[in-house]
Amino acid sequence: MTRAPDSTAAAGPVTAVGAADVTAAVDACTAVLRGGLPADWSRPAGTLAWDCRSTLLHVNSDLFAYAGQLAGRFTGGYIPLDVREDDGADVDGLLQAVTATGGMLAAVVAATPAGVRAYHPYGASDPEGFAAMGIVEVLVHTHDIAAGLGLLPWEPPSDLCAKVLRRLFPEAPRDTAPWPALLWATGRGELPGLPRREGWRWHGTPLGDAPEAPTPSARAGADVRE
């Protein structure tokens, strides 16, 4: 199995999501996907309607957008900008761009006070929330692309998965490994007793801000559809 380096092999408490975690997710992404550079990136990315190249561009777009939301303190909608690839850009360049856009998000997360909130349709979120959202986008779409390029099995560091599950998916099961649980939470896998989700969303609002936040449980009780 291809596995990204995990610097926190020892078991310990799940801590807050931060800038270093964004960087770790980006490093895990680029490390595995560089192995697929010679492949055909026009293949479908796993079960998505997008191809692998479009999915990689989407990752860049999300990282850029989350950095912009947080840096600009946008509260009424999304930042009115997006990324596009230059004419003649190659996949290697798009992978380098993931490092760049991930670096932007990590820097903004590190520089933004915890009390700041910015718009997201799944709930106004804080720096930790935007870091976690960026990590989820990176990890699950890396999985999608890796499936399309024949690079599976691949597994990211379990501590990253545990952190974003705690922050964004408090309803997810806690009695299974974090990576399978994250794939289940994002509609990409099944767990014993839990079928694949047909619809899903994360909980963007900080749990302390929400009067009726979902609570962790050994087994998820309900889907969190939009």
Side-chain angles (χ1 to χ4, degrees), residues 18-169:
D21 298 309
V22 176
T23 301
V26 166
D27 289 347
C29 164
T30 56
V32 66
L33 294 187
R34 286 197 181 283
L37 282 176
D40 178 5
W41 283 68
S42 67
R43 297 173 184 168
T47 60
L48 301 182
W50 299 329
D51 63 26
C52 292
R53 184 187 181 108
S54 298
T55 304
L56 187 61
L57 184 62
H58 170 78
V59 171
N60 275 295
S61 177
D62 279 338
L63 292 170
F64 173 83
Y66 293 160
Q69 287 301 104
L70 200 53
R73 314 295 205 262
F74 280 82
T75 58
Y78 278 124
I79 181 174
L81 292 173
D82 201 354
V83 299
R84 66 170 181 82
E85 57 180 302
D86 290 341
D87 293 340
D90 58 14
V91 174
D92 183 62
L94 293 180
L95 278 173
Q96 291 182 52
V98 172
T99 300
T101 53
M104 293 175 193
L105 178 57
V108 172
V109 167
T112 304
V116 168
R117 301 290 184 268
Y119 171 84
H120 189 277
Y122 290 175
S125 202
D126 60 346
E128 184 191 18
F130 278 103
M133 288 187 267
I135 290 167
V136 170
E137 292 287 349
V138 169
L139 296 185
V140 301
H141 286 316
T142 296
H143 170 82
D144 297 331
I145 296 169
L149 300 180
L151 298 175
L152 295 182
W154 171 77
E155 184 174 342
S158 61
D159 64 312
L160 290 179
C161 303
K163 287 181 177 185
V164 298
L165 281 168
R166 176 199 60 79
R167 174 59 183 80
L168 298 179
F169 299 100

Side-chain angles (χ1 to χ4, degrees), residues 123-124 203 205-215:
H203 187 80
T205 304
L207 299 181
D209 291 1
E212 296 181 2
T215 55

